[in-house]
Amino acid sequence: RTMTTSIPKPLIVGTIGYAILAGAGLFLVLAGRVTGKLTHDNAGIGTVVVLISSFGMWLFWISAWMHQWHPLIAPIYEE
């Protein structure tokens, strides 16, 4: 018997979703820079904010998902 490990599909879909969210944020920063609404310095700050916040949201989501997937503490039911 061979045991195969694979990445669960919800992790892939969620990660792609957060990557799309980060891409949309970066597009908005780029659009603000191209239209002149953001200066070069503000566009740089916006880029950092979008990347850090997207990574933070993804990390929080994946932590919550993993804790529900394999809980460390199982409830004990008493009758």
Side-chain angles (χ1 to χ4, degrees), residues 21-78:
L21 183 67
L26 290 173
F27 175 76
L28 290 175
V29 170
L30 178 65
R33 178 69 181 121
V34 169
T35 60
K37 301 224 184 244
L38 292 176
T39 64
H40 179 71
D41 291 337
N42 287 340
I45 292 169
T47 300
V48 170
V49 167
V50 166
L51 291 175
I52 290 176
S53 61
S54 298
F55 177 73
M57 288 187 291
W58 173 81
L59 189 63
F60 185 81
W61 169 79
I62 201 166
S63 296
W65 193 89
M66 293 287 238
H67 282 87
Q68 292 176 25
W69 187 42
H70 288 296
L72 296 176
I73 301 171
I76 299 172
Y77 299 106
E78 295 179 7

